[in-house]
């Protein structure tokens, strides 16, 4: 009974539905959930057995009847039902709703999506959030949300550029006057770099690494420019010849070489966006610089490399992993002011 009184005022919530991580902001409270976008399913019963951190811990350790699903691939929903279950779980947890809560108590939800996703994909996110218990669903493009989250003056007549390097995609967006002037979305991001590391270690050391280990070593010693002090990490994988476990020492220069080609692709993509940016906006960007957000912003030397290659100042956002969800928070606190930056329901039909 008491619980119901609390729920009458189910607060608005903002969600960064990322390929790698889902973050939830509750209006008036701040960021309350940061968990991996992972779900464990029991294939025998079709039931969800774990979501988020609990599910991630099971990766690589599951019996055959349990499968681990990442319901979002490259920033878009690849498994609709599982995304819906995951969203429902996070929405319920964030708004402290019981499982059988009635419509009246449902929160208004703002969800971030990658820039340039199709109408169909946007509608899928909208439907998933609604089925998951949202009373009303608003959609915002992630780089716009990130820009708002780091307090760029997105509605002013001044251009900004945000590069959000996530797990599945890198979003590059030029923003001015409350809109995205141009954007590009590429699949070279964190997961791709992990794959590069697996391939490199297999070819160079004849050792098979798990994805999780590849990610850990990337975070521990990964760099895109030469480091002043060499970094190394000892990692464990399976020797491809003997089939037995084996340890190997990996250095920052190994990682630099492993991910080099992908990093070049990423730099080239940003270059192409800058080349297509109108001159007035370029002049703003030369002055204010580019901002890096998303987990990939933390890759050692990414800011220096981009700055060198693009000849513009590059800054890493404070707490780059939470920029998008913080943006949803800023918007929710003043929905009227930001109404025009949202993708509203009617816009889904427009020629986007
Ligand atoms: P998404 O929005 O797609 O969920 P995130 O912005 O949460 O992605 O970033 C997750 C990605 O960032 C992962 O690929 C992860 O490996 C990478 N990442 C996180 N921390 C670091 C770090 N310190 N160095 C390099 N990459 C990192
Ligand atoms: Mg993201």
């Amino acid at each position: 009974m008491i619980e119901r009184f609390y729920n009458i005022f189910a607060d608005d919530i903002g969600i960064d539905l990322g390929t790698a991580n889902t973050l939830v902001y509750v209006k008036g409270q701040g960021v309350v959930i940061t968990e991996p976008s992972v779900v464990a399913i029991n294939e025998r019963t079709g039931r969800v057995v774990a979501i988020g951190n609990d599910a991630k811990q099971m990766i690589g350790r599951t019996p055959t009847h349990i499968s681990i699903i990442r319901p979002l691939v490259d920033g878009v929903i690849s498994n609709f039902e599982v995304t819906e279950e995951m969203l429902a779980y996070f929405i319920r947890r964030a708004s402290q709703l019981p499982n059988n809560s009635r419509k009246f108590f449902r929160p208004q939800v703002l969800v971030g999506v990658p820039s340039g996703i199709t109408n169909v994909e946007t509608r899928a996110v909208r439907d998933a959030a609604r089925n998951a218990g949202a009373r009303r669903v608003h959609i915002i493009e992630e780089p716009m949300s990130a820009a708002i989250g780091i307090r760029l003056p997105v509605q002013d007549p001044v251009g900004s550029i945000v590069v959000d390097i996530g797990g599945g995609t890198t979003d590059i967006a030029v923003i001015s006057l409350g809109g995205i002037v141009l954007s590009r979305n590429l699949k070279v991001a964190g997961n791709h770099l992990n794959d590069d590391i697996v391939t490199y270690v297999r070819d160079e050391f004849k050792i098979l690494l798990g994805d999780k280990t590849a990610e850990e070593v990337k975070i521990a010693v990964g760099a895109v420019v030469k480091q002043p002090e060499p970094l190394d990490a000892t990692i464990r994988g399976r020797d491809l010849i003997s089939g037995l476990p084996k340890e190997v020492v990996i250095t920052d220069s190994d990682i630099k070489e492993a991910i080099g080609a992908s990093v070049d692709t990423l730099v080239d993509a940003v270059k192409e966006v800058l080349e297509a940016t109108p001159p007035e906006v370029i002049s703003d960007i030369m002055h204010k610089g580019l901002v890096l957000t998303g987990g990939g912003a933390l890759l050692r030397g990414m800011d220096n490399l981009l700055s060198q290659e693009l000849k513009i100042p590059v800054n890493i956002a404070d707490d780059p992993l939470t920029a998008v969800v913080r943006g949803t928070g800023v918007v929710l606190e003043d929905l009227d002011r930001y109404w025009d930056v949202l993708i509203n329901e009617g816009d889904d039909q427009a020629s986007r």
Side-chain angles (χ1 to χ4, degrees), residues 16 18 142 164 166 324:
D16 171 5
E142 282 161 9
D164 180 293
V324 171

Side-chain angles (χ1 to χ4, degrees), residues 85-147:
E85 291 223 34
M86 186 177 82
L87 266 179
Y89 168 76
F90 287 133
I91 290 174
R92 273 201 305 272
R93 234 179 73 189
S95 50
Q96 299 175 307
L97 292 175
N99 283 342
N100 58 353
S101 59
R102 292 190 304 159
K103 226 181 190 154
F104 184 72
F105 304 108
R106 295 180 171 195
Q108 169 163 260
V109 174
L110 171 61
V111 190
V113 299
S115 62
I117 73 169
T118 65
N119 294 338
V120 176
E121 288 161 348
T122 307
R123 222 168 297 138
V125 173
R126 214 181 269 287
D127 291 346
R130 201 170 279 137
N131 294 340
R135 163 169 54 93
R136 233 174 138 196
V137 185
H138 306 287
I139 305 277
I140 187 167
E141 285 162 296
E142 282 161 9
M144 175 63 84
S145 191

Side-chain angles (χ1 to χ4, degrees), residues 31-82:
V31 182
V32 297
I33 294 175
T34 302
E35 298 217 17
S37 308
V38 180
V39 179
I41 308 266
N42 182 330
E43 298 286 357
R44 280 188 204 137
T45 60
R47 281 218 143 108
V48 169
V49 285
I51 297 178
N53 284 325
D54 296 343
K56 193 172 187 186
Q57 274 167 15
M58 298 179 180
I59 292 179
R61 303 195 172 92
T62 52
T64 52
H65 68 286
I66 291 183
S67 54
I68 304 286
I69 295 180
R70 287 186 174 274
L72 295 126
V73 174
D74 301 336
V76 300
I77 296 181
S78 80
N79 186 323
F80 190 81
E81 284 83 29
V82 175

